[in-house]
Amino acid sequence: MRATSVVGTAIVATLFAAAAFVGCSNKHDSQGGSGNLGASASIRDLMKARGLTEADVEGALKTYVPTGKMDEYYIFASGGQSGNVNVIGVPSMRMLKVIGVFTPESWQGWGFGGDSDKILDQGNQGTHKIRWADMHHPNLSETKGDYDGQYLFVNDKANARVAVVDLSDFATKQIVANPLAASDHGGAFVTPDTDYVIETSQYPAPLGREYAPITEYKEKYRGVAIFWKFDRQKGRIDPAKSWAMELPPYTQDLADAGKLDSDGWAFINSFNTEMAVGGTLEGKPPIESGASQNDMDYLHVINWKKAEELVNAGKTKTIAGMRVLPMDVSGPEGVLTLVGEPKSPHGCDVTPDGKLIVVGGKLDTHTTLYDFAKMKTLIQEKRFEGKDAYGLPIMSFKDAISGQVEIGLGPLHTVFDDKGNGYTSVFIESTVAKWSYKDLKKPVEKLKVHYNIGHILSAEGDTVSPDGKYVVAMNKMSMDRFLPVGPLFPQNFQLIDVEGEKMRMLADMPIANAEPHYSQMIKADKLKPAKVYKPGTNATGEIDPARAEGGKERVERNGTKVDVYMTAIRSHFTPDRIEVDEGDDVTIHIDNIETAEDQTHGFTIDMYNVNVSLEPGKHENISFKADMPGTFPMYCTEFCSALHLEMAGYFLVKPKKH
Amino acid sequence: MRATSVVGTAIVATLFAAAAFVGCSNKHDSQGGSGNLGASASIRDLMKARGLTEADVEGALKTYVPTGKMDEYYIFASGGQSGNVNVIGVPSMRMLKVIGVFTPESWQGWGFGGDSDKILDQGNQGTHKIRWADMHHPNLSETKGDYDGQYLFVNDKANARVAVVDLSDFATKQIVANPLAASDHGGAFVTPDTDYVIETSQYPAPLGREYAPITEYKEKYRGVAIFWKFDRQKGRIDPAKSWAMELPPYTQDLADAGKLDSDGWAFINSFNTEMAVGGTLEGKPPIESGASQNDMDYLHVINWKKAEELVNAGKTKTIAGMRVLPMDVSGPEGVLTLVGEPKSPHGCDVTPDGKLIVVGGKLDTHTTLYDFAKMKTLIQEKRFEGKDAYGLPIMSFKDAISGQVEIGLGPLHTVFDDKGNGYTSVFIESTVAKWSYKDLKKPVEKLKVHYNIGHILSAEGDTVSPDGKYVVAMNKMSMDRFLPVGPLFPQNFQLIDVEGEKMRMLADMPIANAEPHYSQMIKADKLKPAKVYKPGTNATGEIDPARAEGGKERVERNGTKVDVYMTAIRSHFTPDRIEVDEGDDVTIHIDNIETAEDQTHGFTIDMYNVNVSLEPGKHENISFKADMPGTFPMYCTEFCSALHLEMAGYFLVKPKKH
């Protein structure tokens, strides 16, 4: 339901006034113009022609970005099961770029024969090559709890990996494969100075993923939180300095790092303390009912600063090559403490001042606010009401919370503005609830969304200093909102203006390629990505030792090994003919030696399943066996010039004599 | 440069009038409202706050589609090197869906372990598995020369394939691999009743792609046009009824099928009759200069109806399993005739009445209009001015054309409206030129675009009855139009209103995931895609014999072969536990047994690189070897319900005893 309209009334009033003057205007037009009025002589005519209301006009004028003007914010949105990141401009809600992360993307030459294959291979698990992801929560790097625009970290729920995207060129530079968990969800959340990127598991499994029958769930299955150490100088996660904390098999869910007062701590909610394991074919209740039995599950309160000290003091076991702090150390040492949270909750969001942790009830109608100062005291004073089956201390719920707010049916995630408000996504009732975390009364306002919102984001809304201004409802169901596109419906991002007293729905954005989960919005001026590369830069950001320069192109043969040093510049390749023998091991070292912006070339060899995108200065190494004899054109795959189609040549593979 | 604004003047006049009444309006507001005016009390305030001009307001109001309202048109846009299709709504210019075609796309479970793998494998070439494409020209199926909204055909330039997308569910159903060409470009164009889908080669190679050294170019390298027979009943291309026509090695380019008067004919331009082959490392001129030497290249005029008769009469050679009409038959029989076209042209577009073929000069500033009736007569009367090196007859340029229009620097492609106008993309000078193909005078108008337009489209603009209304400039360079996203810039689609006397630029749409080539725009009401599947429908559109039904789920073991019959419904799988032995060959036959719209589930087994998307009624078969022992969660990857996260289970692989 759109906010009702005193504003609307004002617009109508002005339009009627405008209409009264149409007579005068027309006199001016016929004097001044070339008869160009047509059907669109006034705003009122435009509105009538397109069936727009005043609220629609407001939505249109608040989101339109004219050619040559810029959006104010970037959204970095999870691409969900696409495995990649969608970059969106606000307020226009136009997709600006898809960043290849976990899943090969051929337009940008990500994972199609070039050096990016090696980065993708960093994410292999066990003996399996993994080439997709269920990406959930992109997180921008932070400095002092504020987005600094340098890096983006994303997780893969299905295969438990974390990737590092470098925002100096919007390209993925590293993937780390979680050696312990079989699934993750609480990731990739960052501590306030990005010392750590946190990745916590979802579905329990034995650490290291060893086989164990379901009957041994309580004994052998575990959760785990990995603290991946981030080396900002190198712009890479350092696995050797990373460590993990064993968790009980309670199906951990969302995580968040504390900030300011709560800096040094992290929080994870969970929803299956029942340890339900299903068995639908065996006539047992499914996990959906088994996991919903208890009135409370457990919020995990982690003192990672102290845990780090314990790790450095050697109090770990090594499992699958990683140092793991076991529960029988974490519990007694007060670095892992539990407290009840109502009824299979979802969402775990620290307020901008770092004082409160907000957990969404999901099956309970409340958000619950945990008071960090209270919990810290309880832990320091070892004031517990008991222990769980794994010896972990449990705090009293009443003593840990500052209060609860009745939100509605299905509260999940909360983000914040600059005025002390939280905005919670309310899935089942399909609303956004705005409420104050300072006064904890009932929500000041609810806005209907279309439909069934999952995650929610606001401008810089999970930092120490949110901007307010915009909220985006990331709705799971679009149903009747868009033109039909078959049985797989798009999702719907709805942009909401939260600057005024009341929330105002501005525009719908269908998501064409993903089921997104979390996303973050950052002020555009914080990012200053490069427009070209230093000549010879490869996929890892280094100047490649095998870079090819103009005038130094060549083909080197060493038995069956062929190295081609090749350049691309408008509108030809040098060399543009390569002849090899069937069975040769070929490596093409190719550089775009242009320097002008937006002067990208592509390169493919037909039938060899390779494609790379070469931005100005970019270098790629493409290695393959010439195992299929024949005549194969090679050409520039990215439109580059008037003579783009002439930018071609031949790759000839001479068959072995038989 | 935006069209200057008598309209703009009118809007300003009305706004000033509105401003004069603001006083009155405020009185009404303070009586009627709740103090909600804020910063956005009137359109003028909104414009000022956002720096919008009157032309911007027009652009905003002509493109905004309110929540719950629908776009008027779909664009089916090539995804270029992404290998997939982008579906866009007009006038909102929002991406509605990405359709997985040639490149695996994990959100829709396209190519990640399910039955779609088999469709993708149809496109393998030789011994190589091909998993990407350089898609160029999507073409909607036609009936009597008008879009009928049933199918979409797309080509792959890099690996010479054509795919069939079924618009009843927006899913790819078939890929055919071209056995003759090494590269294509003039595809996938349809004849007016979609009897054939035409795919013509680009870079010449020996037919069947056998190895031949470059020195044998003239003797052995060839072009080829395949006429893929479309069986509309089955909705599939029938390779057995398809045939090909050998072409000279002139680097064919764009193609188009004739219609109405020219129905039964097809036209292909070319640009390298010089047969330049480069040799940049050898100090020879690159193809970009070698191919630009001659004043004329050749337009190929093909009588496919008569060629079909010759094929049926057996006048073919069989190469790589396909019947090929050789040049020494086509030439004398009058089914393949040449005529000059100036200076490495690009673009080949038949006018709506079928009477003219428009070729863009590219390096020549003219479009040239070939008169079909004249050419048909010349061919019937065998009035030629000579033959080429391959014995193909050549018509006189002067006698074949109806005229030329001076367009500007770099004319490429032309589309049409309902008033006898052509709109040509002018790449180098970065404009759209509007001109009349009925009176052939200089362009009536040029509109600057941002920047360097490649292809162009208009509403139903290459059919027998274009709609007019909209043109989209598909610009290759975006440069300064959008927020920076690193060295790989997006492309820019600009929507233009062509209903009035003058063209009006409405909005920019960045293309985030592709470098698109051609696209088509179809009236939305022509498409009626399904919203759910008939229960048990698989990827090929059939009811699968292995479908799983509620209450009949089971696990069948036969030695090391394990078949699991599994269902998915909110919010659990049955079974939700599967245990196999290391080395077992597992097939999961899984069905979404929901019936409600937008109730999609996903399915993955962690670490096994599989993901499928199961729309209501959908069936998938997922086969793999359980070669990695361990404990692996499986879960629903598409948010489906409040208890979506609980929709999970385990896939256990018991290790072999050692």
Side-chain angles (χ1 to χ4, degrees), chain A residues 50 64 67 74 81 106 128 131 134 182 203-204 211 288 484 506 508 572 579 606 609 627 637 645 650, chain B residues 50 64 67 74 81 106 128 131 182 203-204 211 288 484 506 508 572 579 606-607 609 627 635 637 645 650:
Chain A
R50 299 211 57 245
Y64 184 77
T67 186
Y74 293 87
Q81 320 86 332
S106 43
H128 283 172
R131 284 298 188 269
D134 185 12
Y203 304 115
Y211 165 83
E288 64 177 315
L506 293 184
D508 287 17
H572 56 273
E579 186 158 335
D606 287 6
N609 203 45
D627 59 355
T637 44
L645 292 176
Y650 284 91
Chain B
R50 299 211 57 245
Y64 184 76
T67 185
Y74 293 88
Q81 320 87 330
S106 43
H128 283 173
R131 285 296 186 268
Y203 304 114
Y211 164 84
E288 63 176 316
L506 293 184
D508 287 16
H572 57 274
E579 186 158 335
D606 287 9
M607 311 294 168
N609 203 47
D627 59 354
Y635 69 94
T637 44
L645 291 177
Y650 284 91

Side-chain angles (χ1 to χ4, degrees), chain A residues 586-608:
Chain A
V586 182
T587 304
I588 310 225
H589 312 278
I590 181 169
D591 284 68
N592 174 338
I593 55 175
E594 306 271 5
T595 51
E597 290 177 17
D598 209 1
Q599 257 317 131
T600 296
H601 294 288
F603 178 76
T604 186
I605 298 171
D606 287 6
M607 312 293 165
Y608 265 83

Side-chain angles (χ1 to χ4, degrees), chain A residues 497-574:
Chain A
D497 174 352
V498 300
E499 258 193 310
E501 286 282 326
K502 293 223 170 285
M503 295 189 272
R504 301 187 68 69
M505 185 67 80
L506 293 184
D508 287 17
M509 177 193 181
I511 301 296
N513 64 348
E515 185 233 321
H517 296 273
Y518 188 48
S519 310
Q520 293 185 328
M521 190 191 298
I522 178 174
K523 202 86 206 293
D525 59 21
K526 286 187 175 180
L527 271 71
K528 300 192 185 334
K531 299 199 173 189
V532 298
Y533 285 108
K534 285 208 186 87
T537 302
N538 65 21
T540 63
E542 308 292 315
I543 307 299
D544 201 279
R547 83 180 253 225
E549 297 177 73
K552 300 183 186 171
E553 300 90 348
R554 60 202 185 278
V555 179
E556 289 177 2
R557 295 171 199 277
N558 206 331
T560 57
K561 192 176 183 317
V562 182
D563 284 86
V564 182
Y565 297 85
M566 194 165 172
T567 58
I569 192 169
R570 282 168 282 176
S571 306
H572 56 273
F573 294 105
T574 307

Side-chain angles (χ1 to χ4, degrees), chain A residues 645, chain B residues 201-204 217 248-253 269-273:
Chain A
L645 292 176
Chain B
S201 63
Q202 181 131 79
Y203 304 114
Y217 191 91
Y250 294 157
T251 310
Q252 285 77 26
D253 189 36
N269 76 291
S270 66
F271 62 83
N272 188 11
T273 43

Side-chain angles (χ1 to χ4, degrees), chain A residues 267-282:
Chain A
F267 313 93
I268 314 172
N269 75 291
S270 64
F271 62 82
N272 188 11
T273 44
E274 297 86 342
M275 292 189 278
V277 290
T280 47
L281 197 60
E282 294 79 6

Side-chain angles (χ1 to χ4, degrees), chain B residues 213 317 406 474 517:
Chain B
K317 297 188 290 193
E406 170 118 28
M474 294 180 274
H517 296 273

Side-chain angles (χ1 to χ4, degrees), chain B residues 1-41:
Chain B
M1 175 172 34
R2 294 200 189 86
T4 50
S5 49
V6 173
V7 176
T9 307
I11 294 178
V12 171
T14 56
L15 285 168
F16 279 126
F21 271 71
V22 161
C24 285
S25 307
N26 278 340
K27 282 209 201 115
H28 290 145
D29 293 340
S30 57
Q31 285 165 15
S34 58
N36 207 20
L37 290 175
S40 304

Side-chain angles (χ1 to χ4, degrees), chain A residues 105-325:
Chain A
E105 200 295 302
S106 43
W107 162 61
Q108 55 202 271
W110 183 252
F112 284 87
D115 291 324
S116 50
D117 288 13
K118 303 190 191 82
I119 297 174
L120 286 163
D121 278 336
Q122 293 173 5
N124 293 342
Q125 286 283 27
T127 53
H128 283 172
K129 186 162 140 159
I130 308 288
R131 284 298 188 269
W132 84 285
D134 185 12
M135 181 191 293
H136 274 239
H137 314 112
N139 267 248
L140 290 157
S141 56
E142 292 182 12
T143 299
K144 297 193 195 332
D146 223 340
Y147 300 151
D148 56 41
Q150 295 184 10
Y151 294 95
L152 184 75
F153 306 95
V154 293
N155 76 309
D156 168 21
K157 171 173 172 172
N159 309 292
R161 287 94 50 79
V162 168
V164 181
V165 179
D166 185 341
L167 296 178
S168 72
D169 64 347
F170 280 53
T172 301
K173 296 287 159 67
Q174 180 187 31
I175 298 174
V176 290
N178 186 326
L180 294 166
S183 162
D184 77 31
H185 192 252
F189 299 99
V190 299
T191 57
D193 284 297
T194 325
D195 294 300
Y196 287 106
V197 180
I198 303 171
E199 181 195 10
T200 74
S201 62
Q202 181 130 79
Y203 304 115
L207 296 186
R209 302 185 287 268
E210 299 292 310
Y211 165 83
I214 281 277
T215 45
E216 298 180 13
Y217 191 90
K218 289 193 171 81
E219 296 76 23
K220 295 204 175 157
Y221 286 45
R222 291 293 180 262
V224 64
I226 296 192
F227 288 78
W228 292 106
K229 187 89 187 81
F230 184 61
D231 180 337
R232 198 183 281 263
Q233 285 282 37
K234 296 184 179 166
R236 303 286 185 272
I237 281 169
D238 187 347
K241 296 204 169 99
S242 308
W243 48 270
M245 181 180 285
E246 182 191 24
L247 302 174
Y250 295 155
T251 310
Q252 286 76 27
D253 190 34
L254 269 304
D256 202 5
K259 60 191 85 170
L260 297 172
D261 287 7
S262 55
D263 189 3
W265 294 71
F267 313 93
I268 314 172
N269 75 291
S270 64
F271 62 82
N272 188 11
T273 44
E274 297 86 342
M275 292 189 278
V277 290
T280 47
L281 197 60
E282 294 79 6
K284 298 185 186 182
I287 293 173
E288 64 177 315
S289 53
S292 310
Q293 297 299 310
N294 292 354
D295 283 338
M296 293 277 187
D297 287 286
Y298 289 127
L299 178 68
H300 300 44
V301 180
I302 292 173
N303 182 342
W304 63 257
K305 208 82 191 86
K306 188 173 178 194
E308 185 184 51
E309 293 166 19
L310 296 168
V311 168
N312 290 339
K315 306 221 184 237
T316 53
K317 298 188 288 195
T318 298
I319 304 174
M322 182 161 267
R323 295 170 296 171
V324 182
L325 209 54

